[in-house]
Amino acid sequence: MSLTVVGSIAFDSVRTPFGERERMLGGSAVHFALAASFFCDVHVVGPVGDDFSEEHTELLHSRGIDTSDIERVQGGSTFFWQGHYEHDLNVAHTDDTQLGVFADFAPKLSDDSRSASTLFLGNIQPDLQQEVRSQCAAAGIAALDSMNLWIETARDSLVEAISKVDCVLLNDAEIRMLTEEPNLAKAAKELMGYGPGVVVAKRGEYGAALFDSEGFFALPGMPLESVKDPTGAGDSFAGGFLGYLDGTDGDASPEDLRKAMAYGTVLASFNVEEFGTERVSKLERDEIEERLGELRSMTYLRE
Amino acid sequence: MSLTVVGSIAFDSVRTPFGERERMLGGSAVHFALAASFFCDVHVVGPVGDDFSEEHTELLHSRGIDTSDIERVQGGSTFFWQGHYEHDLNVAHTDDTQLGVFADFAPKLSDDSRSASTLFLGNIQPDLQQEVRSQCAAAGIAALDSMNLWIETARDSLVEAISKVDCVLLNDAEIRMLTEEPNLAKAAKELMGYGPGVVVAKRGEYGAALFDSEGFFALPGMPLESVKDPTGAGDSFAGGFLGYLDGTDGDASPEDLRKAMAYGTVLASFNVEEFGTERVSKLERDEIEERLGELRSMTYLRE
């Protein structure tokens, strides 16, 4: 069992009321891979420039992540994002985006990456998502994320990409936007009509909701008193969610999906406690299990 | 065991994308009382004008609610609210507010209302909340709601009122505004520092979160496909929550509080399915229990 993630590898400069960092390792594929690495073998596919150094590869290797499909583009620069958050961390502002090598990204997958049992198509252009999906025929579970940019500029291709995956993970606002249906339950049903059997609505600090053939399941976010940097929370959620599913026998039963929601919630909660990858890169498996127990007791309603 | 609620009795004219109604019976005390009436005896305290007729009293009597402390002000008009909701029902607009007899409301409580075992101070001026609180010395559980208006114009009095109750139910945005703390977990702790042992953060469609001495508990909102009118959802939640607590032995154990959260969630979900009081006034107790079971299974995370 192994998992392939295709997405951005980035340097993030982030300022929040609790501090700032320059050019931290980030990007959807990185946050996802670190979270998933606690549950299964992970292959990362994505482009970097000359500015991507040994220490960054090392950080991924330290979690056992396969970096052989990280493509180094000579003379190029790694995708760069700069942003800041208000005192209310739900409000984010982008100050600078430099696509660099990400602008011409054409995913190249090794045999190992192509034969993964689980595939996550991070937030990249939907045509590329479709192309990667068709290369990974062995994947028993394929999932994708997207964003408002692609809903606005490449909606048809995105709907086509969605029709070819088993699971969609989107923010609830994106689900509403894509389906033009403000009622989330109806919007999720509409999305399932495109093809996927599972829709996960990410709801920021409110947690996440799951829609599948069995109905509905929801978990709140962990009530953390110390949140330093929300960047990458959604990708960490997806990593915990799909990493756990890949580590099971792969039939993604309703019970597996619920537990995957819980692991996603737990990984996202660790991610936001420190800047960038600082917390998750030092995380231990028993900390994950401990927090899972806390989450279970925080949501338990006796008969 | 009985419950006294002090708050507004109103006529609401509401337009949503799913229809409109003129001068429906509404107001915080009405929505609260109807929801609570499934669990305990309820006394309503609030002012109405000459336009309040027998049919409105009848509706409350049909749920066994004691209306003898509804004060009829001769020559006055009942509080009137007119508003509409956008296609996204989370976005509400007030088009008209006429305080009428509510402007000079000075709560007068009968012995029955004063001796209630549970007290809910609906969203009224905090000085009045304090006055009513001091009249109801017998109440083992006193709770209050408030709104941004009072946080802005009568903050000191509101904090004083909060210090005299056991439980606060507010929207999460109001909790952040009152404490000037954007982190909800910290804000709730700050609020508990004022006196109350229990803080409930109402989160609209995302459900509700409970902070108490045991820590944290949260439930999602029910994923309804048919939502027609969100007016009164928060008051219906509070009614289910406190009504259930009054119906228990009154020690408000952590387990009672969780179940109260569930009943609050269920009553709020019925409230929004139709306009105004249309759904809750026709609700049957077994429908409540059935939906409680659904909520439990929607949030259950196996060991």
Side-chain angles (χ1 to χ4, degrees):
Chain A
M1 311 295 282
S2 72
L3 193 162
T4 294
V5 50
V6 182
S8 63
I9 299 169
F11 291 127
D12 291 339
S13 288
V14 175
R15 179 163 50 82
T16 82
F18 309 103
E20 54 188 311
R21 297 288 189 281
E22 295 290 326
R23 295 180 66 78
M24 299 177 292
L25 180 61
S28 64
V30 167
H31 285 289
F32 179 96
L34 287 172
S37 71
F38 291 92
F39 306 97
C40 63
D41 292 335
V42 182
H43 311 285
V44 178
V45 181
V48 297
D50 297 329
D51 48 359
F52 195 81
S53 70
E54 200 51 42
E55 64 169 310
H56 304 119
T57 318
E58 262 317 302
L59 192 148
L60 296 169
H61 286 169
S62 74
R63 290 279 338 132
I65 296 165
D66 172 26
T67 61
S68 50
D69 277 0
I70 292 184
E71 184 188 357
R72 288 170 175 277
V73 181
Q74 297 296 323
S77 297
T78 303
F79 180 50
F80 173 72
W81 180 77
Q82 182 165 358
H84 69 277
Y85 294 85
E86 293 189 7
H87 193 51
D88 175 351
L89 292 169
N90 296 308
V91 186
H93 300 277
T94 292
D95 300 314
D96 193 9
T97 304
Q98 295 172 21
L99 288 178
V101 296
F102 203 61
D104 300 311
F105 176 43
K108 297 170 195 68
L109 277 68
S110 63
D111 286 347
D112 276 355
S113 292
R114 263 200 300 271
S115 58
S117 46
T118 302
L119 172 66
F120 182 62
L121 303 164
N123 168 22
I124 59 176
Q125 214 283 340
D127 295 346
L128 296 183
Q129 291 182 318
Q130 289 192 58
E131 199 182 302
V132 174
R133 176 67 188 100
S134 65
Q135 286 183 48
C136 296
I141 303 171
L144 70 69
D145 187 11
S146 192
M147 69 187 294
N148 50 2
L149 174 69
W150 309 126
I151 298 172
E152 283 161 5
T153 63
R155 190 181 182 282
D156 289 350
S157 178
L158 177 57
V159 170
E160 185 77 14
I162 288 173
S163 76
K164 295 171 180 168
V165 297
D166 312 287
C167 172
V168 171
L169 297 107
L170 288 173
N171 297 329
D172 55 357
E174 292 163 348
I175 293 174
R176 293 184 159 109
M177 187 181 175
L178 176 61
T179 58
E180 296 177 347
E181 169 53 64
N183 179 295
L184 186 66
K186 279 192 199 167
K189 197 174 268 188
E190 168 105 14
L191 216 48
M192 291 168 77
Y194 300 169
V198 176
V199 171
V200 176
K202 296 180 287 181
R203 300 167 138 183
E205 67 166 316
Y206 299 113
L210 173 88
F211 298 85
D212 65 7
S213 60
E214 295 282 305
F216 177 82
F217 175 70
L219 285 173
M222 300 287 295
L224 304 169
E225 287 193 35
S226 174
V227 178
K228 287 192 180 157
D229 173 18
T231 313
D235 300 306
S236 301
F237 180 94
F241 181 86
L242 287 165
Y244 174 76
L245 284 181
D246 187 65
T248 63
D249 62 2
D251 71 343
S253 69
E255 201 157 308
D256 288 342
L257 287 168
R258 288 183 174 215
K259 207 150 179 191
M261 289 280 288
Y263 280 113
T265 301
V266 165
L267 267 295
S269 78
F270 281 115
N271 177 80
V272 302
E273 285 186 336
E274 301 288 345
F275 281 83
T277 63
E278 289 169 10
R279 183 69 180 92
V280 176
S281 61
K282 276 177 282 178
L283 191 60
E284 302 285 342
R285 180 64 199 242
D286 57 0
E287 292 178 300
I288 295 175
E289 295 306 319
E290 191 183 331
R291 193 164 284 187
L292 181 74
E294 290 170 20
L295 179 61
R296 187 181 286 114
S297 88
M298 281 171 188
T299 58
Y300 180 61
L301 189 58
R302 193 171 294 194
E303 196 70 47
Chain B
M1 310 296 283
S2 73
L3 193 161
T4 294
V5 50
V6 182
S8 62
I9 299 167
F11 290 127
D12 292 339
S13 287
V14 175
R15 180 164 48 85
T16 83
F18 309 103
E20 55 188 309
R21 296 289 188 280
E22 296 290 326
R23 296 181 65 79
M24 299 178 290
L25 181 61
S28 63
V30 167
H31 286 289
F32 178 97
L34 287 171
S37 70
F38 291 91
F39 307 98
C40 63
D41 292 334
V42 182
H43 312 284
V44 178
V45 182
V48 297
D50 296 329
D51 47 359
F52 196 81
S53 70
E54 201 52 42
E55 65 170 310
H56 305 118
T57 317
E58 263 317 301
L59 193 149
L60 297 169
H61 285 171
S62 74
R63 291 281 333 133
I65 295 165
D66 171 27
T67 61
S68 48
D69 277 359
I70 292 185
E71 184 189 356
R72 289 172 175 275
V73 181
Q74 298 296 324
S77 297
T78 302
F79 180 49
F80 173 72
W81 180 79
Q82 181 165 0
H84 69 276
Y85 294 84
E86 293 189 8
H87 194 51
D88 175 351
L89 291 171
N90 295 307
V91 186
H93 299 277
T94 291
D95 301 314
D96 192 9
T97 303
Q98 295 171 21
L99 288 178
V101 296
F102 203 61
D104 299 311
F105 176 42
K108 296 170 196 66
L109 278 68
S110 62
D111 285 347
D112 276 355
S113 291
R114 262 200 302 270
S115 59
S117 46
T118 301
L119 172 66
F120 181 63
L121 303 164
N123 170 22
I124 58 175
Q125 214 282 342
D127 295 345
L128 295 183
Q129 291 181 317
Q130 289 192 58
E131 199 182 303
V132 174
R133 176 66 188 104
S134 64
Q135 285 184 50
C136 296
I141 303 171
L144 69 70
D145 187 11
S146 191
M147 71 185 292
N148 50 3
L149 174 69
W150 309 125
I151 297 172
E152 283 161 3
T153 62
R155 189 180 182 284
D156 290 350
S157 178
L158 176 56
V159 169
E160 186 76 14
I162 288 173
S163 75
K164 294 172 179 166
V165 297
D166 310 288
C167 172
V168 171
L169 297 107
L170 289 172
N171 296 329
D172 55 358
E174 292 164 347
I175 292 175
R176 293 184 159 108
M177 186 182 176
L178 177 60
T179 59
E180 296 178 346
E181 169 56 61
N183 179 296
L184 186 65
K186 279 192 198 169
K189 196 174 268 188
E190 168 105 12
L191 215 47
M192 290 167 79
Y194 300 170
V198 175
V199 171
V200 175
K202 294 180 287 183
R203 298 166 140 184
E205 68 165 315
Y206 299 113
L210 172 88
F211 297 85
D212 66 5
S213 60
E214 296 282 304
F216 176 82
F217 174 70
L219 286 173
M222 300 288 295
L224 303 170
E225 287 192 35
S226 173
V227 178
K228 287 194 180 153
D229 173 17
T231 312
D235 299 308
S236 301
F237 179 95
F241 181 86
L242 287 166
Y244 174 76
L245 284 182
D246 188 65
T248 63
D249 61 2
D251 70 344
S253 70
E255 201 157 307
D256 289 341
L257 287 168
R258 287 181 175 216
K259 207 147 180 196
M261 289 279 289
Y263 280 111
T265 301
V266 166
L267 268 295
S269 78
F270 281 115
N271 177 80
V272 303
E273 283 186 337
E274 301 288 347
F275 280 82
T277 61
E278 289 169 11
R279 183 67 179 95
V280 176
S281 60
K282 277 177 280 181
L283 192 61
E284 302 286 340
R285 181 61 198 245
D286 57 0
E287 294 178 297
I288 295 175
E289 294 307 318
E290 191 183 332
R291 193 164 285 186
L292 182 75
E294 291 170 18
L295 179 61
R296 187 182 285 115
S297 89
M298 282 173 186
T299 58
Y300 180 61
L301 188 59
R302 194 171 294 193
E303 194 69 47

